[in-house]
Amino acid sequence: MKKEYTDTSGQPHQVIKTWRAALYVRLSREDEGEKEESYSVTSQREILKEYVKQHPDMEIFDIYVDDGFSGTNFDRPNFIRMMEDIKKGMVNCVLVKDLSRFCRNAVDGGYYLDDVFTRLRIRFIAINNCLDTFSPNMNASTRCITVGVQNVINESVAATTSVNVRSTLNLCRQKGQFIGSFACYGYLKDPMDHHRLIIDEEASEVVRKIFSMFINGKSIIGIAKELNAQNIPNPSFYKKLKGMRYNHPSKDKNDGLWSDSSVRRILKNETYAGNMVQGKNTTISYKIKKCRQVPREDWIIVKGTHEPIIDEETFKRVQSMFSNHVRTSPKTFEADLFAGLVKCSDCKKLMNKKTNVQPYGTYRYYKCPGNKKLKIPPCGNHTIRIDKLEQAVLQILQKMIDTSLEISSLAEEINALPKNETRGKSLDAALEGIKKEREKLLKMQLDLYPDWKDGIISKSEYLSLKERTICELKRLEEKENEAKKAREELEQCLTSSNLFLKAFTKYGRLESLNRAMILELIEEIMVFPDGKIEISFKFRDSYKEILGYIKENGIRFTA
C-alpha cells in the first residue's frame, strides 16, 4: 500500500514511493577534543545506516562526510556537494544523527530547514531529536518550536567553546608559547615541546642569505630571482618536500618559485630575531571563519623565546632600510651604493642619480630634483659626481674609524685605572647593602601585624610603623635604581659594549666601500652648492657617552 506524507502546512504531498536519502555526517575538531565515541564519524555513519534499514521506503543515495569542519557555517565541501545533488533532483531526503551535526548556527540552520528544504520539498530527519519534517505530527508550529530551541542551544555551545578556546590560546600566546600548526620557514616545532621553536638548519641558511643580500643592496625582486636561479624551493614547497601536510591557499598554482611577497614577509618577520610574534590575524567571529588582520599594536610579542636566526641589530637595520625608498638597477636589481642617503642641503630632498654619456667618457652624478619640479628654484645648483663622493666618503669614514680606534685605546687605559676598579666594587657593595636593608625592612613589615594582634604594639603604632616602612622601602628602591644605572653606565664604558666603538673599530683599514657598511654607519649625506658634503653618522649618543667618560677621567681628547 502506498503511503502519503503531509507537509508543514497540513497539505498532502504527492505519493512518494522511495526516499533517496543523503546521509550527512559531520565532526569538528572541538568534538574530537571531547573524545566522545558517540560523535565519531564511524558511529554516526552506522546509526544512519541502521535507521535506513528499518525504513523500507528509504534507500541510501550517498554518504556525505565533513570531518574536521565547524558547524557554525555551511562552508563545508561535502555539504556543498550534497546541496548540488539536491538541486539536481537526485536527493529528496537528508538524514542526520542530530541537529548539531547539521549545524550550530540558529539563523542559517533555520533558513535551510524552513526555506530551502521546504521549497525544494526535501524531507529532513534528525534521529536523536525525533525530528521528521514530513511526519504527520510535525506541523509548522511544532517544528518552529522544536527546531528553533534546539538550534539556539546548539549555537550557544559553539559560542561558549569559541570563547574558551580563544582565552586559552591568548594565554599561551602571552606566555610566549607557539600555538601554530606549522613553524615559520627557518624553524621547526621542537619534537619534545610543540610550543617551542628550534632552528631548521637547512632553511635557516636561506633566511640568513636573504637578509645578507638585502643589506648588501639587492632588491626584493632581485633576491627572489636569485633564489629561483639557485633552484631553492619557496617556503610552502619546501614544507611539502619535507613531507609536511601543509596546505597553502594557492597550492594548486604553487610552482615552487619565490615571489617578492614571500621575500618581504621574511625580511619583516620579527620571529627571526628570537621573539615570538603571534595574534597577527583573527577570525571575524565564531560563525564567520574568514580572517582579518590585527593592528600591529595589538599583536602579542614576547621577547627572547627561542634561538634567533638573525641578531637584533641586523633585524633593526633591515627594518630601517624599508623606510628608505630606493630604486634599484633594472639589470642587476641592486641598489646604488648611496641610494636613499644623499640629500640636498637646502630642500632636504633625496637627490637623483643621473648618467651623462659623452664621447670622452661617462659620468655619473647626483642632482637635486627641486629645480626641475618647481617653477621657483628653492635650491642652488646642487650636484656632485659619484666618483668624487665615493672618494670623500671613504676618506671621512677612515678618519672616523681611526678616531674610534684611538678612543678605544684610551678607554682601555682608563679601564685599567685602579679608581675605576674601586668604583665598580663600591657600587657592587652599595647594591648588596641595599639588598640586605630591604630584606630587613620586609621582615619587619611582616612582623608588624602579628605584634599588633598580640597586643605588643597599639593600633596607632602599627599604622605609623607600617607607613614609615613603606616610605623607607620606596626610598631604597629609588636608591637601588640609581646605583644600578651607574653600574650599567660604568660597565658600558669599561667593556666593548659601546655601540659607537663596536660599529666603527671592526672595520680597521678601509680599502673600498660597500653598501652594508654605509647603511650601518651613515644616517645621511648632505650636499651643499659648493660641492662640499656633511655626513651624519649613526651612534651619536654612544659617541658622546664615550667622550664624556674620557673627559670624566681627566684625559683631553680632540675629536
Side-chain angles (χ1 to χ4, degrees):
M1 179 178 178
K2 292 183 180 178
K3 193 173 183 179
E4 276 198 357
Y5 294 93
T6 309
D7 68 7
T8 53
S9 61
Q11 299 298 320
H13 278 305
Q14 66 183 30
V15 174
I16 302 293
K17 183 176 182 179
T18 304
W19 292 102
R20 297 181 300 279
L23 277 54
Y24 184 72
V25 175
R26 184 189 65 81
L27 185 73
S28 69
R29 293 184 180 89
E30 289 77 13
D31 297 322
E32 291 170 349
E34 294 173 3
K35 298 187 181 298
E36 293 188 17
E37 182 59 30
S38 61
Y39 273 137
S40 73
V41 168
T42 304
S43 174
Q44 290 182 61
R45 187 189 284 114
E46 293 306 314
I47 290 170
L48 299 179
K49 283 182 177 180
E50 185 61 30
Y51 185 90
V52 172
K53 282 182 185 178
Q54 295 174 8
H55 293 75
D57 57 346
M58 280 189 184
E59 65 179 21
I60 298 174
F61 176 77
D62 201 353
I63 301 176
Y64 304 82
V65 180
D66 281 320
D67 193 359
F69 288 86
S70 172
T72 56
N73 62 70
F74 287 95
D75 187 18
R76 312 171 216 149
N78 273 290
F79 180 85
I80 294 170
R81 184 171 69 87
M82 180 181 75
M83 288 306 303
E84 290 173 352
D85 290 344
I86 287 173
K87 290 172 183 177
K88 291 175 184 176
M90 302 163 75
V91 170
N92 58 8
C93 177
V94 174
L95 185 63
V96 296
K97 179 180 177 254
D98 59 48
L99 270 172
S100 68
R101 300 304 91 204
F102 182 69
C103 74
R104 287 189 184 273
N105 185 318
V107 174
D108 290 348
Y111 166 72
Y112 272 97
L113 295 179
D114 296 334
D115 188 329
V116 177
F117 285 0
T118 300
R119 283 188 293 103
L120 296 175
R121 300 174 72 177
I122 303 299
R123 182 183 182 185
F124 180 81
I125 301 171
I127 298 171
N128 285 2
N129 302 111
C130 299
L131 172 64
D132 182 347
T133 56
F134 272 54
S135 168
N137 299 321
M138 185 62 65
N139 57 35
S141 176
T142 306
R143 186 167 72 181
C144 179
I145 296 171
T146 303
V147 175
V149 171
Q150 191 60 51
N151 276 340
V152 169
I153 292 171
N154 291 338
E155 183 174 332
S156 70
V157 172
T160 304
T161 301
S162 175
V163 170
N164 292 338
V165 168
R166 283 175 185 251
S167 298
T168 301
L169 293 179
N170 275 335
L171 183 60
C172 290
R173 291 187 184 108
Q174 289 161 5
K175 289 181 179 179
Q177 296 177 341
F178 180 71
I179 61 169
S181 301
F182 296 92
C184 67
Y185 182 73
Y187 285 100
L188 296 169
K189 291 201 288 187
D190 189 342
M192 306 301 293
D193 179 5
H194 285 186
H195 293 303
R196 180 174 171 271
L197 297 180
I198 58 174
I199 289 179
D200 178 347
E201 295 299 337
E202 183 179 350
S204 64
E205 284 303 313
V206 179
V207 173
R208 293 187 187 98
K209 185 193 293 283
I210 289 171
F211 274 83
S212 176
M213 284 193 286
F214 189 70
I215 285 174
N216 283 289
K218 203 81 169 176
S219 70
I220 289 176
I221 294 176
I223 292 171
K225 287 181 176 290
E226 181 69 24
L227 295 173
N228 290 330
Q230 295 179 23
N231 294 319
I232 297 172
N234 66 18
S236 56
F237 202 73
Y238 175 81
K239 288 183 173 72
K240 184 178 178 181
L241 290 175
K242 293 297 179 181
M244 301 181 195
R245 298 176 62 187
Y246 178 76
N247 288 321
H248 193 271
S250 59
K251 61 180 179 179
D252 296 333
K253 300 178 182 178
N254 187 9
D255 51 11
L257 297 177
W258 286 82
S259 63
D260 56 335
S261 59
S262 297
V263 174
R264 185 182 295 274
R265 275 195 299 271
I266 286 176
L267 290 170
K268 285 183 167 290
N269 192 345
E270 193 177 341
T271 304
Y272 296 118
N275 305 325
M276 190 67 73
V277 183
Q278 298 183 107
K280 295 163 69 173
N281 298 288
T282 186
T283 52
I284 296 175
S285 77
Y286 70 93
K287 291 184 183 180
I288 305 171
K289 299 301 180 181
K290 289 184 178 180
C291 283
R292 62 175 174 81
Q293 292 185 336
V294 174
R296 184 178 176 83
E297 58 268 21
D298 294 329
W299 294 359
I300 299 175
I301 303 175
V302 182
K303 301 283 187 180
T305 57
H306 52 273
E307 185 180 353
I309 294 175
I310 303 299
D311 63 78
E312 191 83 22
E313 186 179 335
T314 301
F315 182 79
K316 287 180 179 178
R317 197 194 318 172
V318 165
Q319 304 320 299
S320 69
M321 289 170 65
F322 276 105
S323 61
N324 292 330
H325 301 288
V326 299
R327 296 178 63 185
T328 57
S329 165
K331 293 182 179 180
T332 64
F333 296 100
E334 292 185 2
D336 186 70
L337 196 62
F338 302 110
L341 298 175
V342 183
K343 297 181 180 179
C344 167
S345 63
D346 288 338
C347 67
K348 305 298 186 290
K349 292 182 180 295
L350 285 171
M351 299 178 73
N352 295 337
K353 180 185 174 183
K354 303 289 183 181
T355 301
N356 188 5
V357 181
Q358 299 292 339
Y360 49 83
T362 300
Y363 297 94
R364 296 180 302 118
Y365 60 95
Y366 282 106
K367 182 178 178 65
C368 175
N371 292 329
K372 184 178 179 181
K373 293 182 178 179
L374 301 174
K375 291 182 179 178
I376 303 175
C379 317
N381 187 25
H382 292 66
T383 60
I384 187 168
R385 275 174 46 177
I386 291 178
D387 57 341
K388 291 186 176 181
L389 178 63
E390 287 182 11
Q391 186 179 3
V393 171
L394 181 62
Q395 291 175 354
I396 295 171
L397 262 181
Q398 188 58 61
K399 286 182 181 178
M400 284 299 295
I401 291 169
D402 291 342
T403 299
S404 70
L405 291 169
E406 188 177 351
I407 291 174
S408 180
S409 178
L410 289 173
E412 287 179 6
E413 290 179 18
I414 295 169
N415 293 346
L417 294 175
K419 66 176 183 178
N420 283 319
E421 186 178 352
T422 303
R423 186 184 174 198
K425 289 180 178 178
S426 174
L427 287 170
D428 289 339
L431 286 168
E432 185 62 28
I434 292 170
K435 180 183 176 182
K436 290 180 179 178
E437 195 172 349
R438 188 203 292 112
E439 289 173 352
K440 183 179 177 181
L441 282 170
L442 288 171
K443 186 177 183 304
M444 183 187 299
Q445 191 179 44
L446 289 172
D447 291 339
L448 284 175
Y449 186 77
D451 286 351
W452 168 41
K453 287 298 180 182
D454 291 343
I456 299 173
I457 57 175
S458 65
K459 182 177 180 180
S460 60
E461 287 175 323
Y462 163 71
L463 293 174
S464 176
L465 288 170
K466 181 182 177 182
E467 183 64 29
R468 284 170 55 187
T469 304
I470 292 171
C471 291
E472 187 64 19
L473 283 169
K474 189 175 292 186
R475 185 189 67 81
L476 281 177
E477 184 180 357
E478 293 173 356
K479 191 175 177 182
E480 182 183 33
N481 289 336
E482 290 175 3
K484 282 182 177 179
K485 185 178 179 182
R487 193 70 179 92
E488 287 171 4
E489 290 174 354
L490 181 63
E491 279 294 324
Q492 189 172 19
C493 293
L494 292 175
T495 65
S496 59
S497 60
N498 182 275
L499 296 178
F500 167 75
L501 294 181
K502 280 181 70 177
F504 282 85
T505 55
K506 67 182 179 184
Y507 286 106
R509 190 71 200 169
L510 282 183
E511 299 295 336
S512 62
L513 299 174
N514 63 66
R515 183 159 175 81
M517 172 204 307
I518 289 171
L519 290 172
E520 181 183 6
L521 303 179
I522 296 176
E523 193 77 51
E524 62 182 16
I525 302 171
M526 286 291 180
V527 178
F528 292 82
D530 56 4
K532 289 183 179 179
I533 65 170
E534 181 181 284
I535 300 178
S536 295
F537 290 99
K538 295 181 178 179
F539 313 110
R540 290 188 290 272
D541 291 341
S542 298
Y543 177 66
K544 292 176 183 177
E545 191 175 74
I546 194 69
L547 288 183
Y549 174 64
I550 291 172
K551 186 177 179 180
E552 282 176 11
N553 284 272
I555 296 177
R556 295 185 62 184
F557 176 78
T558 304

